[in-house]
Amino acid sequence: MNALVGACIAVLALPVRLDAHAAPAAPAAPAAKLISITMPWVAAVPPSARVSAAYMKIENHTREARTLVGASSPGARLVEIHEMKMEHGMMKMARVPRVVIPAQGVLELEPGGLHLMLIDLEAPLRLGDTVSITLHFAGGLRQTATAKVQTFEGR
Amino acid sequence: MRCSMRPGLLLLTAGLALLLASGCARGDAASGESSGLRQHGLGGDFALTDQDGKRFTLARLRGKVVLLYFGYTLCPEACPMMMAKLVRVYQILGARAKDVEVVFVTIDPRRDTPSTLKGYLAFFRVPAIGLTGTREQIDEVVHRYGAKYQISDSKSAAGPLVDHSTDLYVVDPGGALHDTLAHESPPDRIAAAVAKLL
């Protein structure tokens, strides 16, 4: 019951969050109880690389489906949602515009599936560095995670 | 049925078409990680340009086991995963790794110049030769090994991306294609396939 009340409050609070976000000086609205992000990491790439991939587990604690529509990071000019899949013996990668996370559901961004593609990196990603990544959901909800730079072999 | 095949592999490459025409006579059922196709008609020598801008010939690596991979430097996942795996393979092989060479052929020569490849490969903790060439030269090598790729409209701001096969080709010290390992082969399997040939 408490959870339901919490979800209702959260929904009611949403316009406030949007307003807060519109003010440039306001900090990003926290939404930890609605969406949580665990184990965020970004793949270390050669210094010359323009792109890298970020992975994480996203949990939707609300009682309604939430749609991930994009992401942003101060570490990259832009961030897209990408999907990898094997098709006709080839690894295909393509942009996907949105991903729905069911109510109380979990979305895993992991190698071989979905990732966030960081495009035009602002600076080389060095091992052990951290990169802030903000997930954007339909309706204006945002959630920020701090992803650690790791190698695939370190996984 | 000794000759199992993934349906997707039936498509596209001239090398495979040739193979199918030959009847796929002796399937290598013992090699669980291989694509299930015999290597008849596939593989062989080729010449391209290395990461220092010098002419490279595969024949120069006679006496070594060559692990050949087709990728590109803008590849955010499959290629770094394979390179990470090869680091583990080298660790497993230890001193025997001196007789192994990793060869990374770009399938994106328009963007991957020798210097791009050099910077990219230097990052991974495994020695690797990076090769590029003209589109025609690369296509010939791709077909020769039964690999494939396709430049796709990814609708991404990253620009055109390249869909590509992600198999690892194991060339024996005599220069013949010995095995084709699936991308998901774990490092110990790759190391075992290499060790057999050393």
Side-chain angles (χ1 to χ4, degrees):
Chain A
M1 188 58 193
N2 281 346
L4 184 63
V5 171
C8 292
I9 290 169
V11 170
L12 290 172
L14 213 54
V16 179
R17 291 177 199 286
L18 282 172
D19 290 343
H21 188 76
K33 285 178 184 160
L34 306 182
I35 301 284
S36 65
I37 300 171
T38 47
M39 296 176 291
W41 66 283
V42 181
V45 288
S48 57
R50 277 180 53 216
V51 301
S52 183
Y55 305 91
M56 63 196 69
K57 182 175 170 184
I58 307 166
E59 285 176 81
N60 174 8
H61 301 292
T62 73
R63 292 181 175 243
E64 58 186 289
R66 298 283 177 173
T67 306
L68 180 67
V69 293
S72 58
S73 169
R77 184 171 63 83
L78 75 166
V79 181
E80 294 175 345
I81 310 166
H82 280 216
E83 184 176 29
M84 311 289 299
K85 56 183 167 191
M86 265 307 210
E87 232 175 70
H88 304 307
M90 284 187 284
M91 186 61 88
K92 292 176 82 81
M93 179 167 71
R95 184 182 178 191
V96 290
R98 64 188 66 81
V99 184
V100 176
I101 311 175
Q104 312 275 335
V106 177
L107 175 67
E108 300 251 19
L109 306 184
E110 55 189 355
L114 291 162
H115 63 256
L116 298 176
M117 179 88 151
L118 278 62
I119 299 169
D120 292 340
L121 298 168
E122 298 290 345
L125 299 178
R126 285 186 299 253
L127 268 183
D129 283 357
T130 55
V131 181
S132 171
I133 299 173
T134 300
L135 304 184
H136 302 198
F137 294 88
L141 181 64
R142 294 186 175 204
Q143 178 67 49
T144 298
T146 302
K148 201 169 171 186
V149 179
Q150 287 182 270
T151 59
F152 281 99
E153 63 190 288
R155 296 292 304 156
Chain B
M1 181 68 181
R2 301 193 58 197
C3 175
S4 66
M5 291 174 209
R6 294 196 298 245
L9 287 177
L10 291 170
L11 300 171
L12 289 173
T13 69
L16 285 178
L18 199 89
L19 189 81
L20 292 171
S22 75
C24 194
R26 289 163 45 218
D28 187 357
S31 176
E33 291 300 323
S34 86
S35 63
L37 296 170
R38 289 292 296 177
Q39 314 298 314
H40 295 317
L42 295 178
D45 283 331
F46 58 84
L48 287 169
T49 303
D50 73 12
Q51 71 270 39
D52 294 314
K54 299 200 172 97
R55 181 180 152 85
F56 166 92
T57 59
L58 186 68
R60 198 200 296 166
L61 300 181
R62 283 294 181 279
K64 294 195 169 194
V65 175
V66 176
L67 296 173
L68 177 67
Y69 189 76
F70 296 91
Y72 67 119
T73 67
L74 202 60
C75 162
E77 191 176 279
C79 308
M81 278 177 86
M82 179 55 81
M83 295 306 290
K85 218 183 292 204
L86 294 177
V87 171
R88 277 293 301 139
V89 171
Y90 267 59
Q91 287 167 350
I92 294 167
L93 291 171
R96 291 175 296 172
K98 70 176 179 13
D99 292 321
V100 180
E101 289 281 354
V102 172
V103 174
F104 183 101
V105 177
T106 182
I107 34 126
D108 189 13
R110 197 172 61 81
R111 288 182 286 204
D112 288 344
T113 62
S115 66
T116 311
L117 283 167
K118 191 169 185 167
Y120 182 79
L121 293 171
F123 173 77
F124 299 100
R125 290 184 298 121
V126 60
I129 297 168
L131 299 179
T132 186
T134 65
R135 176 69 68 195
E136 292 71 25
Q137 287 173 324
I138 286 167
D139 284 353
E140 196 196 323
V141 182
V142 164
H143 284 281
R144 183 167 288 199
Y145 280 81
K148 52 192 173 181
Y149 74 92
Q150 176 176 297
I151 297 166
S152 78
D153 173 21
S154 59
K155 299 183 174 58
S156 167
L161 298 170
V162 189
D163 303 335
H164 60 106
S165 54
T166 52
D167 294 330
L168 182 70
Y169 300 92
V170 183
V171 178
D172 72 20
L177 177 57
H178 177 78
D179 209 349
T180 303
L181 302 179
H183 191 263
E184 54 273 21
S185 307
D188 56 340
R189 295 274 176 79
I190 300 173
V194 171
K196 264 194 322 203
L197 301 172
L198 290 171

